[in-house]
Amino acid sequence: METLTIEINNPKARRLIDDLADLGLISVKEEKCPWSERWEEFSKTLPNTDSITEEEILEEIKVIRANSH
């Protein structure tokens, strides 16, 4: 057995991989990045601003969580 890491650049490739897995030719195992790495990547996309406070962020989270239940 050989293990490869594949970066998918096109959704059509994912469908092909899923088809191969359905045929039993390959197994797909998703690798989860550690939370710290995911947060680092995500935080790069956020605006760098001090105009919002941590309290305001936490309050917004409370509102969203209350509305999702």
Side-chain angles (χ1 to χ4, degrees):
M1 178 173 61
E2 184 177 1
T3 301
L4 304 172
T5 301
I6 299 171
E7 187 173 308
I8 298 174
N9 296 322
N10 185 309
K12 291 179 183 179
R14 178 59 195 223
R15 284 194 296 271
L16 289 172
I17 290 171
D18 289 339
D19 289 344
L20 290 171
D22 290 343
L23 291 170
L25 299 173
I26 64 170
S27 297
V28 176
K29 297 178 183 176
E30 305 237 358
E31 187 176 317
K32 301 268 185 195
C33 294
W35 171 247
S36 58
E37 287 180 29
R38 290 189 291 167
W39 176 253
E40 187 177 322
E41 286 299 312
F42 175 70
S43 66
K44 289 177 187 176
T45 66
L46 299 173
N48 189 12
T49 181
D50 293 331
S51 64
I52 188 168
T53 67
E54 187 175 343
E55 263 183 44
E56 291 171 317
I57 293 169
L58 294 174
E59 188 58 39
E60 183 70 18
I61 291 170
K62 284 180 191 175
V63 169
I64 291 171
R65 285 182 176 164
N67 290 333
S68 67
H69 291 288

